Amino acid sequence: MIASNSKVRPISLPKFGLIVLIHALLCFVFFRHIWAGTHSFATGGDSIDQSYMWLTKVFHAVRSGEFALWDFGVMSGVSFVGELQTSPLYPVAWIAGLIFPGDTFRTVDLFLLLHYFIAAICMSVFCLRIGLSTTAALLASIIYAYGTGFSLRVAGQPNLFAGLAWMPLVSLGFYGLAAAAGIKQRISYAVLAGTGVALSFLAGHAHSTVLALMAAFFILPYAMPGLLRLNWLKTNLPRLKELAKLFCLVGLVALILMLPQFIATSEYLVLSYKWYGPGYTSFPHIVPLDFFIASTVPFRGLVSLFTGGSGGDPDGATFFFTRMGLILAAVAIVTAALNRTEQKVLVLCCAVLAIFATSFAFSFISPLAYIYMHLPLLNLVRSPGRALFMFGFAGAILAGIGLDCARMWVRSAAPKIPDFALGGLISGIAILIAVFEIGNFLPPRTQFAIGPDSVIPSVSNNPVAQKLLALSEASPEPYRFYAPEELVPPNIGDLYPILSAHGHRSSRTVAYHSYFDFNPKSEKMDELGVKWWVSDKELQDLPLIAQWNSTYLYERPTAFPVLWRADQDGSGHAIPMQPPHVGQNEVVFNFTSPEHGTFVFGQTAYPGWYASADGIPLPIVMRKELQSVTSLSPIKELRFFYEPIWWRPALFIFLLGWGALLISMGVAGTRHTLRTFRAI
């Protein structure tokens, strides 16, 4: 039995403070251009089109004291909270929105930079808890946070990057609940594991949560010595029952801390299609096997282990975890094979995790794809290359173990030289080489100069968007526009108060997908309130408003406003009104004079919507798949608001859970600090 993994190692406050200080310094050095505001993490694609826009909306909501549940500015109205990737209920996003500067793009950059620091600190604590030395834990955290595929993901999918930052915390929680000696300590770690799972999910991507759980699963044998023995189950059945209860507690804590997001996402996914590249999936959203195989990493991707480049798959995966990390990982494996380290079980766990991640990435090898696509939860990961985030995690731990092993070999070869001298020198050299590698590897791939031709000005100063904003502000009635995402930033409605009939998202509701068409002469576009149409081609029979080279802006004279009145003969017409109030989760229309009849709100069906006329509730009925209400008496104000029946009770449990967690953390932290000072 390996004694070193039978308990959770304590961490002194000075040691933790030193690690925090070093990572704060590294974050300043690696990201000095981000701090200076001359560079940004924003790049083309999902980065600027999705995450930067969504986080802008979340920051604006938290500053106004609201929850962003609905999105009026994209896809003619769509659930914002249900999408999940928008991360509207992520506590770290709330904190960032409140404390960072008001400039939205800079706030997003600092929010993402914060997650490098979170990943580094969580990885340091995890490695210290499982028995690595301080320098080894520091090296492992430096490699994972700044020198793996995780570090590059900030420029691809910031929400996935933010979720992966919590992977070490999830592993720490599960390791602790299995390895801790007392039941109270195990319960504390179960709560920690549940918190990590919830934060990973709330950050905006389910794939990060699945991968974090898988990584924790492969580390568990190190917390339970002898687990692989044939007689382990027979001799440890009582403990296994206790662990099963603790795992249930993890699930309960995670569910409480992400309850409204979990409910909203579950509801939304049942009602939606998800885009996976060539097409859409319907619930339960498992991509076709042939697409999964086509998305795998080819064998030539192994070269990325040395170059740090893309593995050759569509998702840009990489095996890289620095050359120094690769050398030290080899040292750890050789030392464990020679039975010269107490952490050989941990080496085995990390090696198996790395092999599993590689096999998932290479799922084109028959029959791996078929097996993985039929494993619950794991089959939700539609891009096999994303398993290499686990490879980087395992590689970083192996590198840390390798550093301790290298120090052991040197100590045995030169016993007369003090360990703090020679061992410290070896550790310092290894860390400096890794930092130098990362300094050349990370900034060019993740930080982009802000200039006239960069993506931020192309969004914030887009001339077509500015013209649409001016048209919207000049019109008392609310109208929408349609524009291909190549011509206008697709989620611009989350940045400016303009309403779009299109958007770039990983999903769309079945109702809207079935209703919407791309025909500028369609009556459906009239009923959705699409007045302005942007095209890269000349269109006949539509008045041209403006032109920018080969980009044309047309007006559709037949379009109704977003709210219009339906006559008994089936026709419709606009209603004189004041500019509406469009909030986070409601829109209020005020008529210039009392009106009555059937009012159609150009938004497709979705559960959780209610309406009131002059404060009196009105039932919503569907008219041609659009929401409508009828008032027989004249009214001056009509309000549509989104407040699903589950929202208030789920929010109460959610806030109560986070409040209890923060209070308990504060009490525990105070006690730990007092004990430390008394010991000093």
Side-chain angles (χ1 to χ4, degrees), residues 272-400:
S272 302
Y273 293 125
K274 280 188 68 67
W275 182 79
Y276 64 89
Y280 288 89
T281 61
S282 55
F283 187 79
H285 303 295
I286 309 301
V287 300
L289 185 63
D290 56 349
F291 171 80
F292 183 79
I293 294 174
S295 302
T296 55
V297 179
F299 280 130
R300 67 177 183 275
L302 287 170
V303 178
S304 67
L305 189 64
F306 308 97
T307 64
S310 170
D313 72 313
D315 216 39
T318 180
F319 282 91
F320 188 72
F321 63 103
T322 76
R323 297 182 186 91
M324 175 53 66
L326 182 61
I327 293 170
L328 290 174
V331 171
I333 293 172
V334 170
T335 305
L338 295 175
N339 202 28
R340 294 293 301 274
T341 176
E342 290 184 338
Q343 293 174 324
K344 60 183 180 181
V345 176
L346 180 57
V347 172
L348 177 62
C349 290
C350 292
V352 172
L353 174 58
I355 293 171
F356 166 74
T358 303
S359 69
F360 194 94
F362 289 159
S363 290
F364 63 86
I365 303 174
S366 180
L368 292 178
Y370 183 84
I371 294 172
Y372 289 142
M373 289 301 292
H374 287 81
L375 292 178
L377 285 183
L378 198 59
N379 58 8
L380 296 178
V381 182
R382 64 176 176 83
S383 299
R386 291 179 182 174
L388 296 187
F389 296 127
M390 297 186 292
F391 180 91
F393 177 69
I397 299 172
L398 286 172

Side-chain angles (χ1 to χ4, degrees), residues 442-457:
L442 183 63
R445 292 170 166 84
T446 60
Q447 301 166 51
F448 309 97
I450 300 176
D453 298 327
S454 62
V455 294
I456 290 179

